[in-house]
């Protein structure tokens, strides 16, 4: 009588074992290759690099369908806003119209400068439209400065203003930066100066 040899099976069993073993090895290799990508390291929001050197942003609540316009003026330059989207220093990057032509509910506008010239900067907001007639409309202003292109921006001013009527223009902040791009704290004020003169003519 012959002893039973477990490895001495027919050809079909051998092929079946080979296919199963190769499939298992392929699955293990796939898991090993994908393992580092399962939980990739997250980039911190504060570490994201933004364009421009002086960054001016305004935000207002998502549930208010309003068009609040950002107007900025850099030293030696004209006002920049929705109708004059670029100057020699500032560019208006986003003009938010509220819910109109907007895929998200976020309400925000922003402007960026090219360079940091020394002198006075003026930031105004203007209530252009408020479809829901919900008053007051709180608007937050953030001004940041980035001197080194490889480093994140540094926030220098945070303000909140309440708009209470259509066509209201407010000077949220006026401030000066020195030749090194540093804020001169004693120059920060909100003395009114219109930036919409050319719009009203």
């Amino acid at each position: 009588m012959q002893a039973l040899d477990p490895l001495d099976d027919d050809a079909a069993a051998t092929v079946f074992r080979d296919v199963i073993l190769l499939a298992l090895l392929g699955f293990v290799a796939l898991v090993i290759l994908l393992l580092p990508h399962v939980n990739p390291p997250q980039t911190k929001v504060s570490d994201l690099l933004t364009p421009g050197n002086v960054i001016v942003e305004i935000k207002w609540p998502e549930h208010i369908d309003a068009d609040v316009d950002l107007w900025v003026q850099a030293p030696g330059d004209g006002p920049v806003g929705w109708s004059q989207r670029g100057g020699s220093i500032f560019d208006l990057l986003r003009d938010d119209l509220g819910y109109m032509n907007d895929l998200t509910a976020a309400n925000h506008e922003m402007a960026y400068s090219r360079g940091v010239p020394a002198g006075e900067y003026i930031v105004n907001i203007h209530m252009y439209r408020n479809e829901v007639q919900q008053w007051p409309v709180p608007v937050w202003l953030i001004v940041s400065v980035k001197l080194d292109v490889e480093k994140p921006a540094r926030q220098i001013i945070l303000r909140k203003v309440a708009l209470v009527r259509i066509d209201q223009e407010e000077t949220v902040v006026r401030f000066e930066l020195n030749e090194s791009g540093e804020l001169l704290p004693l120059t920060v004020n909100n003395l009114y100066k219109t930036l919409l003169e050319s719009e009203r003519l």
Side-chain angles (χ1 to χ4, degrees):
M1 186 165 166
Q2 288 183 327
L4 292 176
D5 185 4
L7 299 177
D8 189 25
D9 286 341
D10 61 355
T14 303
V15 171
F16 178 74
R17 276 194 308 266
D18 288 347
V19 169
I20 293 295
L21 187 60
L22 286 174
L24 180 63
L25 285 174
F27 179 73
V28 169
L30 188 65
V31 168
I32 290 172
L33 288 174
L34 291 178
L35 203 54
H37 303 288
V38 170
N39 193 8
Q42 298 292 321
T43 304
K44 294 180 183 175
V45 174
S46 61
D47 291 344
L48 294 177
L49 299 178
T50 56
N53 299 104
V54 179
I55 301 125
V56 181
E57 303 173 76
I58 60 170
K59 299 176 182 184
W60 61 99
E62 294 180 355
H63 66 276
I64 299 178
D65 182 13
D67 182 356
V68 179
D69 290 322
L70 171 66
W71 285 86
V72 293
Q73 185 173 16
D77 199 8
V80 171
W82 71 270
S83 62
Q84 178 63 36
R85 296 178 70 100
S88 59
I89 298 171
F90 266 108
D91 285 310
L92 181 67
L93 185 65
R94 176 172 170 74
D95 180 24
D96 196 307
L97 305 175
Y99 293 171
M100 189 183 313
N101 300 327
D102 204 343
L103 298 177
T104 69
N107 290 321
H108 66 282
E109 293 197 4
M110 61 191 70
Y112 294 101
S113 77
R114 292 176 301 281
V116 187
E120 183 183 45
Y121 292 77
I122 303 170
V123 180
N124 284 14
I125 56 174
H126 174 243
M127 174 55 78
Y128 186 78
R129 180 182 55 81
N130 186 348
E131 289 296 320
V132 294
Q133 294 296 315
Q134 181 177 341
W135 304 102
V137 176
V139 181
W140 290 268
L141 167 80
I142 302 165
V143 179
S144 305
V145 174
K146 181 173 70 169
L147 301 174
D148 185 352
V149 74
E150 296 298 322
K151 294 183 180 174
R154 179 177 43 89
Q155 181 178 311
I156 60 170
I157 294 174
L158 175 64
R159 294 278 172 98
K160 180 182 176 186
V161 175
L163 297 175
V164 295
R165 62 180 170 78
I166 298 294
D167 204 35
Q168 178 182 354
E169 181 187 9
E170 291 290 327
T171 298
V172 182
V173 69
R174 295 171 75 164
F175 60 94
E176 289 185 26
L177 299 177
N178 64 17
E179 292 79 15
S180 304
E182 298 293 324
L183 176 67
L184 302 174
L186 297 178
T187 65
V188 177
N189 66 79
N190 64 343
L191 183 64
Y192 178 75
K193 178 183 178 184
T194 184
L195 297 181
L196 299 176
E197 284 297 323
S198 60
E199 294 301 310
R200 294 190 171 122
L201 296 178

